[in-house]
Amino acid sequence: MNFFPVIDPAQKSATAYYDETLRLVELAEALGYEHVQTVEHYFTGYGGYSPDPVTLLTAMAARTSRIRITTGAVVPAFTHPVKLAGKLAMLDHLSHGRLDVGFGRGFLPTEFEAFGIPMDESRARFDEGVEACVRLWSEEDVVFEGRFHRFGPVTLLPRPYQAPHPPVFIASATSAESCAAAGTAGHHLQVVPSVTSAEQLSGMLQKYRAAWDEAGHDPAARRIQIKYTCYLADDAEEARRTGEFYERSYIDHMAKAVEPLAKGNRADYPGYDKFLEKARNYDFAASLAANKVFAGDADQVRAQLERTREEFGADLTVSLQFNPGGLAYGRAARAMELFAQEVAPAFTG
């Protein structure tokens, strides 16, 4: 399950959203879901209710005992690596070794401006932050001499619960090169099919798998999370109506958040100048037909998931958002139940 709060305070208070989220996490554990994850965003209705995913995931870990706890993703550019590595190591202990760490570059101009960080440094800061965290988790007396951070010798406490460190995921939106680098390094992968074409995503996954294999990593250890929003109901028409309403809300919030980026080209973000245009031209029916969002009854969603497996491979974990913020708790809970009882068994046995 993926929690990406696309909601304004006028629609639902932060307290109400967190309370509902934690109830859904408890339900996810009871229904046998594999993991829960959440994002890092600031200031706007586009994810702004999750400025610190570690805090929310800590509450999730306290309510559960089996389900894995995943950052999807934290942004190293916004936190000193000593602090970030320490916070995540604590969460690894509090969850008794259930933590998976997804790292992302970030892409919203207002966030980089607030932290006083040039967006053109995002890739370099991302690479350096991931390297520093992995070293702090797995080494002692670390001396780090990076472009942005210099420290040491230091030995992080606590040491992570999982040895040598929690599994590392790299979040990639459109970059095949990032996917290949993740595969070479032996890191796992998080991808979002809604922001790219099926052909482009297939190419990204192909490069990732090839780089993983060429580096000599165990193919059976490779993990890929692919994220979808899922509008599932007993009545297919109701599911599609709900999906169209909330997907339009998602696109509107995203367009507002990326508008400053769309006004000019950034060296580290080629093609983002067209992001706003794509958002303005969004069509739910076309997105559903392209299998970028799941919506319908159990039979229809099961067929969409079959198509996902055929297009992108069977070595995937699907991370689903059932609660796009404003949806009532009862409808999200019913969707989770339907998926667990009538969709998932076709793939898990």
Side-chain angles (χ1 to χ4, degrees):
M1 279 193 68
N2 178 33
F3 290 94
F4 192 127
V6 182
I7 187 169
D8 295 310
Q11 296 172 279
K12 187 180 293 184
S13 72
T15 302
Y17 174 78
Y18 300 142
D19 288 348
E20 290 179 5
T21 294
L22 293 176
R23 290 175 66 193
L24 291 172
V25 167
E26 290 177 330
L27 179 60
E29 167 131 319
L31 291 171
Y33 283 80
E34 190 265 347
H35 75 268
V36 289
Q37 65 173 277
T38 192
V39 297
E40 178 178 350
H41 278 302
Y42 300 84
F43 312 128
T44 75
Y46 184 73
Y49 272 1
S50 187
D52 183 6
V54 173
T55 299
L56 185 53
L57 290 169
T58 299
M60 293 178 182
R63 300 284 191 101
T64 57
S65 61
R66 176 200 57 80
I67 199 165
R68 293 198 67 80
I69 306 296
T70 307
T71 63
V74 291
V75 183
F78 299 156
T79 306
H80 193 287
V82 170
K83 186 174 185 66
L84 183 58
K87 284 162 59 78
L88 290 164
M90 285 183 66
L91 178 53
D92 199 28
H93 282 275
L94 291 168
S95 65
H96 288 202
R98 290 184 282 141
L99 177 64
D100 294 327
V101 180
F103 291 102
R105 280 173 60 190
F107 71 102
L108 296 180
T110 53
E111 295 178 352
F112 280 86
E113 289 170 6
F115 282 101
I117 296 171
M119 288 192 72
D120 290 348
E121 295 177 359
S122 67
R123 181 179 291 278
R125 286 181 177 271
F126 171 82
D127 291 340
E128 182 172 303
V130 174
E131 179 190 356
C133 284
V134 170
R135 287 192 59 194
L136 285 163
W137 289 331
S138 55
E139 301 175 19
E140 297 183 357
D141 296 321
V142 175
V143 176
F144 192 85
E145 295 286 343
R147 174 181 168 188
F148 306 104
H149 302 288
R150 295 176 176 82
F151 54 83
V154 295
T155 298
L156 185 73
L157 285 179
R159 312 303 295 161
Y161 185 101
Q162 299 173 87
H165 55 76
V168 172
F169 285 75
I170 301 300
S172 180
T174 60
S175 173
E177 290 72 22
S178 295
C179 292
T184 299
H187 298 324
H188 308 294
L189 193 64
Q190 295 175 340
V191 293
V192 184
S194 63
V195 298
T196 186
S197 68
E199 294 76 16
Q200 185 178 7
L201 182 55
S202 292
M204 292 163 60
L205 295 177
Q206 183 179 3
K207 287 202 171 186
Y208 171 71
R209 293 176 178 121
W212 178 284
D213 294 342
E214 288 169 6
H217 304 301
D218 179 5
R222 182 172 58 218
R223 297 167 64 192
I224 303 170
Q225 292 176 353
I226 185 167
K227 306 179 187 183
Y228 290 91
T229 305
C230 182
Y231 302 97
L232 178 58
D234 294 279
D235 180 79
E237 285 300 323
E238 176 192 334
R240 285 192 288 269
R241 284 194 302 270
T242 301
E244 185 164 13
F245 177 83
Y246 284 106
E247 286 300 284
R248 183 71 262 173
S249 174
Y250 175 91
I251 293 299
D252 289 344
H253 280 88
M254 180 177 65
K256 190 180 299 183
V258 304
E259 188 172 8
L261 182 60
K263 291 179 178 178
N265 290 317
R266 307 284 179 131
D268 267 8
Y269 294 84
Y272 272 68
D273 55 314
K274 299 177 182 177
F275 214 76
L276 188 59
E277 180 183 351
K278 290 181 179 180
R280 286 173 174 161
N281 294 329
Y282 177 78
D283 180 83
F284 175 75
S287 182
L288 183 60
N291 217 41
K292 294 178 178 292
V293 59
F294 294 168
D297 60 22
D299 289 340
Q300 292 166 331
V301 170
R302 191 185 309 114
Q304 288 192 272
L305 200 54
E306 287 279 11
R307 179 178 167 185
T308 296
R309 181 165 63 176
E310 291 170 2
E311 288 183 331
F312 304 127
D315 59 338
L316 305 172
T317 296
V318 179
S319 188
L320 301 172
Q321 165 138 278
F322 295 102
N323 175 30
L327 191 66
Y329 167 84
R331 295 177 71 180
R334 179 55 182 159
M336 290 173 58
E337 292 168 351
L338 283 170
F339 190 91
Q341 296 162 4
E342 299 187 24
V343 178
F347 304 92
T348 65

